[in-house]
């Protein structure tokens, strides 16, 4: 079979010419509508995390400032988060619409913010699960082309691979059909977005963006989950839950997401699936999932599983997570991956693994630098990170601080300037620069930053200190 490996992405619209029925059905599903440009937002007035907000048209207003509302993430099946765009840089807004409670509230992670913050960078990984043909600008943390992605939501080609060759000669070049792949590659198609784990660590020199339908996910990244006890795993996403079910354990590769979900129509085939394997099951006339895949009621976070995919005998209570030991769920957990995963979770065990990591590539050196108590040694590590990745924002900011402490202000200033190109809302870089620049330049710098983040107390204080 000839797979369309050298092909490029062309977009779902072109598939429509020949697959109109699939296209029209799929266009109505939550996955197809998971992101896009905001056309309008209903007017609202509410309080979230102690701050008052008002929405009129496509503007979010709050005490001390306002922001346009430019893009959305989430079809509204569970909720919708909004993004703002400034000079191509994308930031997540602090408020989210929660469909289940039909109310606005703080975006996940913003619940405890003392001040309204508009500067959380939207990194490519977020868009890669919710949009298609994403266009990150190299050397930046959160800048994108205009538009930032060429297709809203999850496109056909995310599950079928790039289609240029197939579209020009369907008989000669076939698309990837997940159902015809071996189990590992088939499952990867859904897992690329539906598997989160406690941490997912890209392999040396690989990025999630390179994954194509038909690939093995473990070639791109290692996924870790927490081991709580001898047998218990703390699992969060649908993929891990299903993997832990008695059905999956016993039935093996036969059972996968596609057994119960028809992705083109979002049809739920669960009842026929249960009966297909449990021919002599009790309560044949009742909906099996009601008792065996119960839904949790309160869902506050975006990414909480609502329907219990561990298919329990009865609703069993989950053990409370405590001290976590990471174990690989997908891929092999070598020292490098484990070290990076622990570091991501802020776990002290990171260092021992990082010190043994092979290869010691820049992500490893960056984590080691952050953990390094000796300033001079940390600086050396940051320098070596920047040789491989000249736009690593943490290295730029922290190496700058180190050099400034040694009185090397010109070099420090250059590093901070470069940091602000990767993301103009790095507050530390702004505040640091303001201290070493002339009062006139500092004023310009702080005012520009306050346009991005109007209520920053630190920036306001720094500006006030400069006087008129
Ligand atoms: C010019 C018409 C045409 C266009 C455009 C087109 N297809 Fe197809 N597609 C076909 C035909 C014809 C077949 C059946 C080929 C066969 O069975 O030999 C097919 C088969 C498929 C299959 C089944 C493959 C299999 O082996 O089971 C998939 C999946 C598919 N197309 C996806 C797409 C996607 C996604 C796009 C857009 C990127 C697309 N097609 C664009 C004509 C087209
Ligand atoms: C490119 C990322 C991506 C891929 C690939 C993907 N999904 Fe999704 N899926 C999502 C996102 C994002 C949502 C949430 C959509 C929303 O409501 O905004 C979602 C939602 C869903 C839902 C819930 C729909 C509802 O009614 O709320 C199901 C079921 C689902 N996906 C199944 C699958 C299956 C099965 C596969 C593999 C064949 C798959 N997905 C592949 C990203 C993906
Ligand atoms: C690894 C892939 C992945 C990443 C990264 C990711 N999401 Fe999701 N997101 C999903 C999937 C899959 C769903 C739907 C199913 C679920 O709840 O797991 C979802 C659901 C959502 C929903 C609810 C959508 C709805 O209406 O059902 C929102 C809102 C959301 N995500 C926002 C975000 C934002 C904002 C980011 C980045 C800051 C982000 N997500 C990062 C995969 C991802
Ligand atoms: C979330 C993943 C996903 C997305 C998005 C998706 N498909 Fe599919 N598609 C599948 C899976 C899984 C199968 C295999 C279904 C089966 O045989 O059980 C499939 C099968 C097909 C087939 C062959 C069999 C059939 O059902 O006709 C065609 C053609 C096809 N898809 C076209 C498309 C087109 C066109 C789009 C976009 C409009 C699209 N798909 C979007 C997952 C997806
Ligand atoms: C692909 C086949 C398959 C599908 C689909 C499937 N199961 Fe199972 N299930 C099994 C097998 C095999 C076992 C283990 C042997 C047994 O207990 O019958 C099992 C076990 C179970 C158990 C016992 C769990 C335990 O902890 O002992 C329950 C309950 C169950 N299934 C319910 C369901 C329900 C409800 C559905 C639909 C939502 C479903 N299954 C779908 C194959 C399947
Ligand atoms: C045994 C059947 C079954 C299998 C297998 C299955 N699901 Fe589901 N899934 C369900 C049911 C039932 C629901 C709830 C549907 C509803 O209430 O409308 C659901 C809901 C969902 C949702 C919506 C959010 C939620 O939690 O309610 C997502 C996303 C989802 N499934 C993803 C997946 C993915 C990814 C896989 C593969 C790892 C998978 N499912 C495998 C039966 C299944
Ligand atoms: C009203 C709730 C309810 C419904 C609906 C329901 N079940 Fe059950 N089921 C249970 C309970 C409770 C048990 C555990 C009984 C026990 O442990 O003795 C169970 C046990 C099972 C078992 C394990 C049996 C065994 O002997 O190990 C299977 C398999 C199963 N159910 C399948 C199904 C299927 C398939 C459906 C849908 C046709 C279904 N159930 C509908 C409540 C329900």
């Amino acid at each position: 079979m000839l797979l369309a490996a050298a092909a490029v992405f062309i977009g779902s619209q072109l598939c429509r010419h020949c697959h109109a029925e699939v296209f029209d059905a799929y266009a109505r599903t939550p996955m197809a509508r998971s992101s896009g440009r905001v056309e309008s937002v209903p007017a609202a007035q509410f309080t979230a995390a102690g701050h008052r907000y008002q929405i009129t048209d496509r503007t979010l207003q709050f005490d001390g400032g306002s922001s346009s509302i430019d893009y959305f993430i989430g079809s509204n099946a569970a909720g919708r988060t909004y993004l703002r765009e400034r000079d191509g840089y994308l930031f997540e807004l602090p408020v989210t619409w929660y469909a289940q409670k039909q109310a606005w509230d703080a975006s996940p992670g913003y619940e405890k913010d003392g001040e309204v913050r508009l500067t959380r960078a939207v990194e490519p990984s977020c868009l890669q699960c919710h949009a298609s043909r994403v266009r990150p600008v190299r050397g930046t943390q959160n800048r994108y082309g205009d538009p930032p992605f060429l297709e809203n939501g999850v496109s056909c080609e995310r599950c079928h691979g790039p289609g240029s060759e197939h579209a020009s000669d369907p008989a000669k070049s076939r698309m990837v059909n997940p159902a015809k792949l071996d189990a590992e590659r088939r499952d990867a198609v859904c897992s690329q977005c539906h598997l989160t784990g406690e941490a997912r660590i890209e392999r040396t020199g690989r990025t999630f963006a390179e994954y194509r339908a038909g690939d093995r996910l473990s070639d791109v990244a290692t996924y870790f989950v927490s081991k709580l006890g001898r047998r218990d795993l703390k699992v969060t996403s649908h993929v891990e839950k299903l993997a832990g079910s008695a059905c999956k354990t016993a039935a093996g590769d036969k059972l996968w997401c596609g057994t119960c979900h028809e992705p083109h129509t979002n049809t739920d085939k669960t009842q026929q699936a249960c009966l297909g394997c449990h021919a002599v099951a009790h309560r044949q006339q009742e909906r099996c999932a009601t008792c065996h895949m119960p839904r949790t009621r309160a869902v506050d976070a975006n990414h909480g599983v609502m329907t219990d995919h561990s298919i329990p005998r009865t609703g069993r209570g989950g053990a409370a997570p405590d001290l976590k030991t990471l174990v690989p769920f997908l891929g092999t957990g070598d020292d490098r991956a484990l070290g990076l995963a622990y570091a991501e979770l802020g776990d002290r065990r990171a260092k021992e693994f990082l010190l043994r990591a092979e290869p010691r590539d820049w992500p490893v050196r960056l984590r080691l630098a952050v953990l390094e108590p000796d300033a001079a040694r940390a600086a050396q590590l940051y320098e070596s990170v920047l040789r491989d990745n000249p736009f690593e924002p943490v290295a730029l900011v922290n190496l700058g601080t180190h050099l400034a402490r040694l009185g090397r202000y010109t070099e420090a200033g250059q590093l901070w300037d470069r940091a602000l190109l990767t993301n103009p809302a790095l507050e530390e870089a702004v505040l640091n620069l303001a201290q070493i620049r002339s009062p006139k330049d500092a004023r310009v710098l702080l005012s520009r930053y306050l346009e991005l983040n109007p209520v920053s107390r630190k920036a306001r204080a720094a500006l006030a200190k400069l006087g008129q």
Side-chain angles (χ1 to χ4, degrees):
M1 182 170 72
L2 254 176
L3 291 184
V8 295
F9 292 112
I10 55 173
S12 305
Q13 281 295 338
L14 288 174
C15 316
R16 183 181 205 171
H17 291 303
C18 307
H19 302 288
E21 210 176 304
V22 176
F23 181 96
D24 292 339
Y26 182 65
R28 290 190 288 272
T29 65
M31 274 196 277
R33 297 183 295 118
S34 194
S35 58
R37 230 193 134 77
V38 168
E39 308 274 318
S40 71
V41 188
Q45 237 178 335
F46 58 94
T47 302
H51 307 291
R52 274 180 305 159
Y53 293 95
Q54 191 175 354
I55 290 173
T56 43
D57 192 22
R58 279 182 303 162
T59 306
L60 179 71
Q61 282 171 286
F62 45 87
D63 291 340
S66 70
S67 167
S68 59
I69 307 175
D70 301 309
Y71 293 93
F72 69 86
I73 301 281
S75 71
N76 248 340
R80 186 166 272 189
T81 286
Y82 292 91
L83 315 181
R84 69 198 295 247
E85 185 261 332
R86 285 291 173 283
D87 298 329
Y89 294 91
L90 290 184
F91 302 96
E92 187 177 342
L93 287 170
V95 294
T96 287
W97 171 257
Y98 293 90
Q100 222 180 27
K101 48 183 188 191
Q102 288 285 301
W104 288 92
D105 208 338
S107 297
Y110 283 84
E111 298 88 347
K112 296 197 172 75
D113 273 1
E115 62 187 30
V116 174
R117 191 159 52 101
L118 297 186
T119 53
R120 193 203 268 179
V122 176
E123 299 195 49
S125 66
C126 175
L127 295 180
Q128 252 132 26
C129 287
H130 283 277
S132 297
R133 290 191 290 155
V134 181
R135 302 158 77 213
V137 172
R138 258 173 190 280
T140 75
Q141 198 178 2
N142 58 332
R143 190 175 203 177
Y144 298 88
D146 181 17
F149 41 87
L150 293 176
E151 202 172 339
N152 298 346
V154 178
S155 73
C156 311
E157 291 166 300
R158 300 303 295 277
C159 294
H160 291 298
S164 60
E165 310 238 313
H166 169 76
S168 59
D169 192 349
K172 212 167 127 214
S173 175
R174 322 256 323 231
M175 295 300 280
V176 171
N177 182 339
K180 294 181 184 170
L181 295 169
D182 65 62
E184 188 184 3
R185 292 171 198 272
R186 173 197 69 192
D187 295 349
V189 170
C190 312
S191 297
Q192 64 173 306
C193 302
H194 284 278
L195 174 57
T196 45
E198 288 287 308
R200 24 174 229 159
I201 305 298
E202 289 168 338
R203 300 185 63 149
T204 304
R206 303 298 304 268
T207 64
F208 289 115
E210 290 163 22
Y211 171 85
R212 300 281 179 273
D215 292 349
R216 270 195 309 249
L217 207 51
S218 57
D219 287 343
V220 181
T222 305
Y223 291 72
F224 290 98
V225 294
S226 286
K227 196 173 191 322
L228 300 173
R230 221 150 59 87
R231 303 193 47 208
D232 277 338
L233 293 178
K234 180 191 167 214
V235 294
T236 44
S237 66
H238 294 88
V239 178
E240 306 148 86
K241 284 267 190 183
L242 182 66
S245 70
C247 307
K248 177 73 183 160
T249 310
D253 290 345
K254 253 189 1 206
L255 183 58
W256 75 297
C257 312
T259 310
C260 298
H261 295 291
E262 212 293 279
H264 297 157
T265 54
N266 199 28
T267 310
D268 180 0
K269 304 183 287 188
T270 302
Q271 189 69 11
Q272 70 204 66
C274 306
L275 290 172
C277 289
H278 296 287
V280 293
H282 58 158
R283 299 173 180 272
Q284 296 263 341
Q285 306 309 316
E286 292 174 58
R287 183 175 177 271
C288 318
T290 305
C291 296
H292 291 290
M293 298 186 73
R295 285 172 82 84
T296 45
R297 252 178 239 120
V299 184
D300 283 344
N302 285 331
H303 293 114
V305 174
M306 293 191 280
T307 304
D308 190 346
H309 279 58
S310 70
I311 318 184
R313 182 181 277 267
T314 52
R316 56 172 118 106
D322 187 21
L323 191 68
K324 307 169 185 168
T325 298
L326 292 179
V327 288
F329 178 84
L330 192 76
T332 43
D334 54 14
D335 289 333
R336 175 184 174 276
L338 264 168
L340 292 173
Y342 277 126
E344 196 169 297
L345 303 180
D347 188 297
R348 289 163 52 210
R349 281 167 287 185
K351 196 161 176 179
E352 63 175 283
F353 291 105
L354 289 170
L355 286 171
R356 289 199 300 262
E358 197 53 59
R360 224 183 212 219
D361 54 359
W362 71 261
V364 172
R365 281 177 268 136
L366 178 66
R367 293 298 192 177
L368 281 171
V370 173
L371 295 169
E372 176 59 60
D374 181 86
R377 255 187 306 207
Q380 269 174 8
L381 284 165
Y382 285 130
E383 268 167 4
S384 83
V385 168
L386 293 173
R387 274 195 291 276
D388 291 341
N389 180 356
F391 297 100
E392 209 310 304
V394 175
L396 289 168
V397 173
N398 290 358
L399 183 60
T401 305
H402 177 73
L403 293 177
R405 287 202 182 115
L406 300 177
R408 291 159 68 179
Y409 297 122
T410 314
E411 290 155 89
Q414 283 163 353
L415 292 174
W416 290 331
D417 276 333
R418 212 192 310 155
L420 291 179
L421 287 178
T422 79
N423 174 358
L426 294 174
E427 188 169 87
E428 279 175 53
V430 173
L431 296 174
N432 288 348
L433 265 176
Q435 291 178 54
I436 64 167
R437 290 279 148 88
S438 72
K440 183 164 156 270
D441 288 353
R443 240 176 253 125
V444 172
L445 205 66
L446 290 166
S447 310
R448 214 183 295 143
Y449 175 67
L450 283 166
E451 280 166 29
L452 278 175
N453 196 26
V455 297
S456 163
R457 279 187 209 122
K458 285 182 179 163
R460 289 208 176 279
L463 194 61
K465 229 167 93 185
L466 286 167
Q468 285 314 302

